[in-house]
Coordinates of all heavy atoms in Angstrom, one line a residue:
Chain A
N30 N -15.5 5.6 -11.1 CA -16.0 4.9 -9.9 C -15.0 4.0 -9.2 O -15.3 2.9 -8.9 CB -17.3 4.1 -10.2 CG -18.1 3.8 -9.0 OD1 -18.1 4.6 -8.0 ND2 -18.7 2.7 -9.0
P31 N -13.8 4.5 -9.0 CA -12.8 3.7 -8.3 C -13.1 3.7 -6.8 O -13.7 4.6 -6.2 CB -11.5 4.4 -8.6 CG -11.9 5.9 -8.6 CD -13.2 5.9 -9.3
N32 N -12.6 2.6 -6.1 CA -12.5 2.6 -4.7 C -11.2 3.4 -4.3 O -10.2 3.1 -4.9 CB -12.4 1.2 -4.1 CG -13.7 0.4 -4.4 OD1 -14.8 0.9 -4.0 ND2 -13.6 -0.7 -5.0
L33 N -11.3 4.3 -3.4 CA -10.2 5.2 -3.0 C -9.8 5.0 -1.5 O -10.7 4.8 -0.7 CB -10.5 6.6 -3.3 CG -10.8 7.0 -4.8 CD1 -11.3 8.4 -4.9 CD2 -9.5 6.8 -5.6
Y34 N -8.6 5.1 -1.3 CA -8.1 4.9 0.1 C -7.0 5.9 0.5 O -6.2 6.4 -0.3 CB -7.4 3.5 0.2 CG -8.3 2.4 -0.3 CD1 -8.3 2.1 -1.7 CD2 -9.1 1.6 0.5 CE1 -9.1 1.0 -2.2 CE2 -9.9 0.6 0.0 CZ -9.9 0.4 -1.3 OH -10.7 -0.7 -1.8
W35 N -7.0 6.3 1.8 CA -5.9 7.0 2.4 C -5.2 6.1 3.4 O -5.9 5.6 4.3 CB -6.3 8.3 3.0 CG -6.5 9.5 2.1 CD1 -7.7 10.0 1.8 CD2 -5.5 10.2 1.4 NE1 -7.5 11.1 0.9 CE2 -6.2 11.2 0.7 CE3 -4.1 10.1 1.4 CZ2 -5.5 12.1 -0.1 CZ3 -3.4 11.0 0.6 CH2 -4.1 12.0 -0.1
Y36 N -3.9 6.0 3.3 CA -3.1 5.2 4.3 C -2.0 6.2 4.8 O -1.6 7.1 4.2 CB -2.3 4.1 3.6 CG -3.2 2.9 3.2 CD1 -3.9 2.8 2.0 CD2 -3.2 1.8 4.1 CE1 -4.6 1.7 1.6 CE2 -4.0 0.6 3.7 CZ -4.7 0.6 2.5 OH -5.4 -0.5 2.1
R37 N -1.6 5.8 6.1 CA -0.5 6.5 6.6 C 0.6 5.5 7.0 O 0.3 4.4 7.5 CB -0.8 7.2 7.9 CG 0.3 7.9 8.6 CD -0.1 8.9 9.7 NE -0.9 8.3 10.7 CZ -1.8 9.0 11.5 NH1 -1.9 10.3 11.3 NH2 -2.5 8.3 12.4
Q38 N 1.8 5.8 6.7 CA 3.0 5.0 7.0 C 3.9 5.7 8.0 O 4.5 6.7 7.6 CB 3.8 4.7 5.7 CG 4.9 3.6 5.9 CD 5.5 3.3 4.5 OE1 5.7 4.1 3.7 NE2 5.9 2.0 4.4
A39 N 3.9 5.2 9.2 CA 4.8 5.8 10.2 C 6.1 5.0 10.3 O 6.1 3.8 10.1 CB 4.0 5.8 11.5
A40 N 7.1 5.6 10.7 CA 8.4 5.0 10.8 C 8.3 3.8 11.8 O 7.8 3.9 12.9 CB 9.5 6.0 11.4
G41 N 8.8 2.6 11.3 CA 8.8 1.4 12.1 C 7.5 0.7 12.2 O 7.4 -0.3 12.9
R42 N 6.5 1.2 11.6 CA 5.2 0.6 11.6 C 4.7 0.3 10.2 O 5.2 0.9 9.2 CB 4.2 1.5 12.3 CG 4.6 1.9 13.7 CD 3.7 2.9 14.4 NE 2.4 2.4 14.6 CZ 1.4 3.1 15.1 NH1 1.6 4.3 15.5 NH2 0.2 2.6 15.3
G43 N 3.8 -0.5 10.0 CA 3.2 -0.8 8.7 C 2.3 0.2 8.3 O 2.0 1.2 9.0
L44 N 1.8 0.1 7.1 CA 0.8 1.0 6.6 C -0.5 0.8 7.3 O -1.0 -0.3 7.5 CB 0.6 0.8 5.1 CG 1.6 1.5 4.2 CD1 2.8 0.6 4.0 CD2 1.0 1.8 2.8
Q45 N -1.2 1.9 7.6 CA -2.4 1.9 8.3 C -3.5 2.6 7.5 O -3.3 3.7 7.1 CB -2.3 2.5 9.7 CG -3.6 2.5 10.5 CD -3.4 3.3 11.8 OE1 -2.8 4.3 11.9 NE2 -4.0 2.8 12.9
L46 N -4.6 1.9 7.3 CA -5.7 2.5 6.6 C -6.4 3.6 7.4 O -6.7 3.4 8.6 CB -6.8 1.5 6.2 CG -8.0 2.0 5.5 CD1 -7.6 2.5 4.1 CD2 -9.1 0.9 5.4
L47 N -6.5 4.8 6.9 CA -7.2 5.9 7.5 C -8.7 6.0 7.1 O -9.6 6.1 7.9 CB -6.5 7.2 7.3 CG -5.0 7.2 7.7 CD1 -4.4 8.6 7.3 CD2 -4.8 7.0 9.2
F48 N -8.8 6.1 5.8 CA -10.2 6.3 5.2 C -10.3 5.6 3.9 O -9.3 5.3 3.2 CB -10.4 7.8 4.9 CG -10.4 8.7 6.1 CD1 -9.2 9.4 6.4 CD2 -11.5 8.9 6.9 CE1 -9.1 10.2 7.4 CE2 -11.4 9.8 8.0 CZ -10.2 10.4 8.3
Y49 N -11.5 5.2 3.6 CA -11.8 4.7 2.2 C -13.1 5.2 1.8 O -14.0 5.6 2.5 CB -11.7 3.1 2.2 CG -12.8 2.4 2.9 CD1 -14.0 2.0 2.3 CD2 -12.7 2.1 4.3 CE1 -15.0 1.3 2.9 CE2 -13.7 1.4 4.9 CZ -14.8 1.0 4.3 OH -15.8 0.3 4.9
S50 N -13.3 5.1 0.4 CA -14.5 5.7 -0.2 C -14.9 4.8 -1.4 O -14.0 4.5 -2.2 CB -14.3 7.1 -0.7 OG -15.4 7.6 -1.4
V51 N -16.2 4.4 -1.4 CA -16.6 3.6 -2.6 C -17.4 4.5 -3.6 O -17.8 4.0 -4.6 CB -17.5 2.5 -2.0 CG1 -16.7 1.5 -1.1 CG2 -18.7 3.0 -1.3
G52 N -17.6 5.8 -3.3 CA -18.3 6.6 -4.2 C -18.3 8.1 -3.7 O -17.9 8.4 -2.6
I53 N -18.8 8.9 -4.6 CA -18.8 10.4 -4.2 C -19.6 10.6 -2.9 O -20.7 10.1 -2.7 CB -19.5 11.2 -5.4 CG1 -18.7 11.1 -6.6 CG2 -19.7 12.6 -5.0 CD1 -19.3 11.7 -7.8
G54 N -18.9 11.3 -2.0 CA -19.6 11.7 -0.8 C -19.6 10.5 0.3 O -20.1 10.7 1.4
Q55 N -19.2 9.4 -0.1 CA -19.2 8.2 0.8 C -17.8 8.0 1.4 O -16.9 7.6 0.7 CB -19.7 7.0 0.0 CG -21.0 7.1 -0.6 CD -21.4 5.8 -1.3 OE1 -21.5 4.7 -0.7 NE2 -21.6 5.9 -2.6
I56 N -17.7 8.3 2.7 CA -16.4 8.2 3.4 C -16.6 7.3 4.6 O -17.5 7.4 5.4 CB -15.9 9.5 3.9 CG1 -15.9 10.5 2.7 CG2 -14.5 9.4 4.5 CD1 -15.0 10.2 1.6
S57 N -15.7 6.3 4.7 CA -15.6 5.5 5.9 C -14.3 5.7 6.6 O -13.2 5.7 6.0 CB -15.8 4.0 5.6 OG -17.1 3.8 5.0
S58 N -14.3 5.8 7.9 CA -13.1 6.1 8.7 C -12.8 4.8 9.5 O -13.6 4.2 10.0 CB -13.3 7.2 9.7 OG -12.2 7.3 10.6
E59 N -11.5 4.5 9.5 CA -11.0 3.3 10.1 C -10.5 3.5 11.5 O -10.6 2.6 12.4 CB -9.9 2.6 9.3 CG -10.4 1.9 8.1 CD -11.4 0.7 8.5 OE1 -10.9 -0.2 9.1 OE2 -12.6 0.8 8.2
V60 N -10.0 4.7 11.8 CA -9.4 4.9 13.1 C -9.8 6.4 13.5 O -9.8 7.3 12.7 CB -7.9 4.8 13.1 CG1 -7.5 3.4 12.9 CG2 -7.2 5.7 12.1
P61 N -10.1 6.5 14.8 CA -10.4 7.9 15.3 C -9.2 8.7 15.3 O -8.1 8.3 15.6 CB -10.9 7.6 16.7 CG -10.3 6.3 17.1 CD -10.2 5.5 15.9
Q62 N -9.3 9.9 14.8 CA -8.1 10.7 14.6 C -8.5 12.2 14.4 O -9.6 12.5 14.4 CB -7.3 10.2 13.5 CG -8.1 10.2 12.2 CD -7.6 9.2 11.2 OE1 -6.4 9.1 11.0 NE2 -8.5 8.4 10.7
N63 N -7.4 12.9 14.2 CA -7.6 14.4 14.0 C -7.8 14.7 12.5 O -7.8 15.9 12.1 CB -6.3 15.0 14.5 CG -6.3 16.5 14.4 OD1 -7.3 17.1 14.8 ND2 -5.2 17.1 14.0
L64 N -8.0 13.7 11.7 CA -8.1 13.9 10.2 C -9.5 13.6 9.7 O -10.2 12.9 10.4 CB -7.1 13.0 9.5 CG -5.6 13.2 9.9 CD1 -4.8 12.0 9.4 CD2 -5.1 14.5 9.5
S65 N -9.8 14.2 8.6 CA -11.0 13.9 7.9 C -10.8 13.7 6.4 O -9.7 14.1 5.9 CB -12.1 15.0 8.1 OG -11.6 16.2 7.6
A66 N -11.7 13.1 5.7 CA -11.5 12.9 4.3 C -12.8 13.3 3.5 O -13.9 13.3 4.1 CB -11.2 11.5 4.0
S67 N -12.7 13.7 2.3 CA -13.8 14.0 1.5 C -13.6 13.5 0.1 O -12.5 13.4 -0.4 CB -14.1 15.5 1.5 OG -13.0 16.2 1.0
R68 N -14.7 13.3 -0.6 CA -14.6 12.9 -2.0 C -15.7 13.7 -2.8 O -16.8 13.3 -3.0 CB -14.9 11.4 -2.2 CG -14.8 10.9 -3.6 CD -14.9 9.4 -3.6 NE -14.8 8.8 -5.0 CZ -14.7 7.6 -5.3 NH1 -14.7 6.7 -4.3 NH2 -14.7 7.1 -6.5
P69 N -15.2 14.9 -3.2 CA -16.2 15.8 -3.9 C -16.5 15.4 -5.3 O -17.5 15.8 -5.8 CB -15.4 17.2 -3.8 CG -14.0 16.8 -3.7 CD -13.9 15.5 -2.9
Q70 N -15.6 14.7 -5.9 CA -15.8 14.3 -7.3 C -15.4 12.8 -7.4 O -14.7 12.3 -6.5 CB -14.9 15.1 -8.3 CG -15.2 16.6 -8.3 CD -14.4 17.3 -9.3 OE1 -14.2 16.8 -10.4 NE2 -13.9 18.5 -8.9
D71 N -15.8 12.1 -8.5 CA -15.6 10.7 -8.6 C -14.2 10.3 -8.4 O -13.9 9.2 -7.8 CB -16.2 10.2 -9.9 CG -16.0 8.7 -10.1 OD1 -16.4 8.0 -9.2 OD2 -15.6 8.3 -11.2
R72 N -13.3 11.0 -9.0 CA -11.9 10.6 -9.0 C -11.0 11.5 -8.1 O -9.8 11.6 -8.3 CB -11.4 10.6 -10.4 CG -12.0 9.5 -11.2 CD -11.7 9.6 -12.7 NE -12.4 10.8 -13.3 CZ -12.3 11.1 -14.6 NH1 -11.4 10.5 -15.4 NH2 -12.9 12.2 -15.0
Q73 N -11.6 12.2 -7.2 CA -10.8 13.1 -6.3 C -11.0 12.7 -4.9 O -12.2 12.6 -4.4 CB -11.2 14.5 -6.6 CG -10.5 15.6 -5.8 CD -11.0 17.0 -6.0 OE1 -12.2 17.2 -6.2 NE2 -10.1 18.0 -6.0
F74 N -9.9 12.6 -4.1 CA -10.0 12.2 -2.7 C -9.1 13.2 -1.9 O -7.9 13.4 -2.3 CB -9.5 10.8 -2.6 CG -10.1 10.0 -1.4 CD1 -11.2 10.4 -0.7 CD2 -9.4 8.9 -0.9 CE1 -11.7 9.7 0.4 CE2 -9.9 8.2 0.2 CZ -11.0 8.6 0.8
I75 N -9.7 13.8 -0.9 CA -8.9 14.8 -0.2 C -8.8 14.4 1.3 O -9.8 14.0 1.9 CB -9.7 16.2 -0.3 CG1 -9.7 16.6 -1.8 CG2 -9.0 17.3 0.5 CD1 -10.5 17.8 -2.1
L76 N -7.6 14.6 1.8 CA -7.4 14.4 3.3 C -7.2 15.7 3.9 O -6.4 16.5 3.5 CB -6.2 13.5 3.4 CG -5.8 13.1 4.9 CD1 -6.9 12.1 5.4 CD2 -4.4 12.4 4.9
S77 N -7.9 16.0 5.0 CA -7.9 17.3 5.6 C -7.7 17.2 7.1 O -8.0 16.2 7.8 CB -9.1 18.0 5.3 OG -9.4 18.1 3.9
S78 N -7.3 18.3 7.7 CA -7.3 18.5 9.1 C -7.5 20.0 9.4 O -7.0 20.9 8.7 CB -6.0 18.1 9.8 OG -6.0 18.4 11.1
K79 N -8.2 20.3 10.5 CA -8.5 21.7 10.8 C -7.3 22.2 11.6 O -6.9 23.4 11.5 CB -9.7 21.9 11.6 CG -11.0 21.6 10.8 CD -12.3 21.8 11.6 CE -13.5 21.5 10.8 NZ -14.7 21.7 11.6
K80 N -6.7 21.4 12.5 CA -5.6 21.7 13.3 C -4.6 20.6 13.5 O -5.0 19.6 14.2 CB -6.1 22.2 14.7 CG -6.8 23.5 14.7 CD -7.2 23.9 16.2 CE -7.9 25.3 16.2 NZ -8.2 25.7 17.6
L81 N -3.5 20.7 12.9 CA -2.5 19.6 12.9 C -1.9 19.4 14.3 O -1.6 20.4 15.0 CB -1.4 19.8 11.9 CG -1.8 19.6 10.4 CD1 -0.7 20.1 9.5 CD2 -2.0 18.1 10.2
L82 N -1.6 18.2 14.6 CA -0.9 17.8 15.8 C 0.5 17.2 15.4 O 0.7 16.8 14.3 CB -1.6 16.7 16.6 CG -3.1 17.0 17.0 CD1 -3.7 15.7 17.5 CD2 -3.2 18.1 17.9
L83 N 1.4 17.3 16.4 CA 2.8 16.7 16.1 C 2.6 15.2 15.6 O 3.4 14.8 14.7 CB 3.6 16.8 17.3 CG 4.2 18.1 17.7 CD1 4.9 18.1 19.0 CD2 5.1 18.7 16.6
S84 N 1.7 14.5 16.2 CA 1.5 13.1 15.9 C 0.9 12.8 14.5 O 0.9 11.7 14.1 CB 0.6 12.4 17.0 OG -0.7 13.1 17.0
D85 N 0.5 13.9 13.8 CA 0.1 13.7 12.5 C 1.2 13.6 11.4 O 1.0 13.3 10.3 CB -0.8 14.9 12.1 CG -2.2 14.9 12.8 OD1 -2.7 13.8 13.1 OD2 -2.6 16.0 13.2
S86 N 2.4 13.8 11.9 CA 3.6 13.6 11.0 C 3.6 12.2 10.5 O 3.4 11.3 11.2 CB 4.9 14.0 11.7 OG 4.9 15.3 12.1

Side-chain angles (χ1 to χ4, degrees):
Chain A
N30 199 31
N32 293 307
L33 296 171
Y34 309 86
W35 279 111
Y36 286 85
R37 177 167 58 202
Q38 187 176 35
R42 302 174 65 179
L44 278 84
Q45 180 184 38
L46 179 67
L47 302 176
F48 300 95
Y49 69 93
S50 173
V51 299
I53 296 175
Q55 301 179 59
I56 308 295
S57 296
S58 174
E59 283 298 295
V60 292
Q62 58 205 311
N63 185 43
L64 302 168
S65 62
S67 62
R68 185 171 176 173
Q70 300 180 43
D71 181 45
R72 292 169 290 176
Q73 184 185 31
F74 205 23
I75 298 172
L76 183 68
S77 304
S78 174
K79 292 182 179 179
K80 290 184 178 182
L81 284 169
L82 306 172
L83 287 174
S84 58
D85 291 324
S86 294

